[in-house]
Amino acid sequence: QVQLVESGGGSVQAGGSLRLSCAASGYTYSRYHMGWFRQAPGKEREGVAAMDSDGSTSYADSLKGRFTISKDNAKNTLYLQMNSLEPEDTAMYYCAADRFAPTIATMTINRGALDAWGQGTLVTVSS
């Protein structure tokens, strides 16, 4: 059973930074591809960034340069560093894990069938 728990969300002013964490348990963490998604009210869940089991990263084009995904295998934890935050970044942020989808594009296409999701952490950016 794959279990993911996000943390690190909160309220921040535009231009600020936050680092989200996703603690993984219940499986061999290093064998899974991991990703971050977000969902704003009234909008579809969209892919943000992913890291495959070999450490290669991929990002949504619109977010490249402001967001950085990383992981600490020793701590079984995935991170999302978010800089220069904008009000449009306000959303619930979710962590996901999957054995087969290695990029954010493939995770997004298959988001209805990914192996596991966390419960989400809320990020609010004020202007």
Side-chain angles (χ1 to χ4, degrees), residues 24-36:
S25 62
Y27 67 103
T28 306
Y29 172 76
S30 60
R31 296 181 183 175
Y32 279 69
H33 312 305
M34 304 290 294
W36 287 99

Side-chain angles (χ1 to χ4, degrees), residues 94-119:
Y94 298 92
C95 176
D98 196 72
R99 291 163 291 167
F100 306 114
T103 68
I104 196 57
T106 54
M107 292 189 87
T108 300
I109 290 170
N110 295 287
R111 62 182 178 267
L114 300 180
D115 287 334
W117 290 92
Q119 83 291 347

Side-chain angles (χ1 to χ4, degrees), residues 10-54:
S11 296
V12 63
Q13 288 193 326
S17 298
L18 282 174
R19 188 177 78 158
L20 306 182
S21 299
C22 172
S25 62
Y27 67 103
T28 306
Y29 172 76
S30 60
R31 296 181 183 175
Y32 279 69
H33 312 305
M34 304 290 294
W36 287 99
F37 287 74
R38 68 184 185 181
Q39 188 166 18
K43 295 190 177 181
E44 284 191 350
R45 191 169 297 190
E46 64 172 346
V48 173
M51 178 175 282
D52 69 17
S53 57
D54 292 328

